[in-house]
Amino acid sequence: YYCSQSCYKKDISFHKKYCSYFEVEDKVIEIKKNARDGLTGLANIGNTCFMNSGLQCLSNTMTLRDYFLKDLYKKEINKTNPIGMKGKFAITFAQLLKELWFLD
């Protein structure tokens, strides 16, 4: 993600050469106006601390986080697989990341 339009404009010419997602998606996430900076914690219920730790690690893995916050995952959901989940896991994970990173 880019912290601002000015940072985006400075980097875009270099980054476009190497990133195939720019052909598909050209979003900039404005984190200053509408952000929690990913510092929102998760409540532990019983023995969920290990799961919550893993989710926090995934949430702070920049490439993965941006992939879901920019909704790039939506183009790769296989909705026709008869034994698949139709993207329910990916959609739910994206919703969780948006809750952790953005204010409503």
Side-chain angles (χ1 to χ4, degrees):
Y1 71 91
Y2 293 95
C3 58
S4 68
Q5 282 291 347
S6 112
C7 184
Y8 170 78
K9 288 176 185 176
K10 288 176 186 175
D11 185 57
I12 192 74
S13 61
F14 173 78
H15 193 74
K16 264 189 174 180
K17 296 177 197 174
Y18 303 101
C19 183
S20 62
Y21 284 116
F22 276 99
E23 297 169 11
V24 177
E25 194 65 48
D26 210 6
K27 287 186 180 178
V28 174
I29 296 177
E30 287 292 335
I31 61 169
K32 289 184 178 180
K33 295 178 189 169
N34 189 21
R36 297 181 189 199
D37 296 332
L39 299 176
T40 304
L42 298 169
N44 290 325
I45 303 170
N47 294 327
T48 62
C49 58
F50 292 107
M51 178 187 67
N52 289 347
S53 295
L55 290 170
Q56 289 284 8
C57 288
L58 292 172
S59 169
N60 285 282
T61 303
M62 188 169 54
T63 306
L64 180 67
R65 177 194 65 217
D66 293 348
Y67 178 74
F68 281 93
L69 290 181
K70 293 178 181 180
D71 291 332
L72 297 173
Y73 74 95
K74 288 182 178 181
K75 294 175 174 72
E76 298 189 45
I77 292 176
N78 182 353
K79 295 182 180 178
T80 61
N81 183 347
I83 60 171
M85 296 279 300
K86 314 284 188 262
K88 290 179 185 174
F89 182 81
I91 292 165
T92 303
F93 184 67
Q95 289 171 341
L96 172 64
L97 289 180
K98 289 174 184 175
E99 287 288 323
L100 292 173
W101 283 87
F102 300 119
L103 299 169
D104 290 320

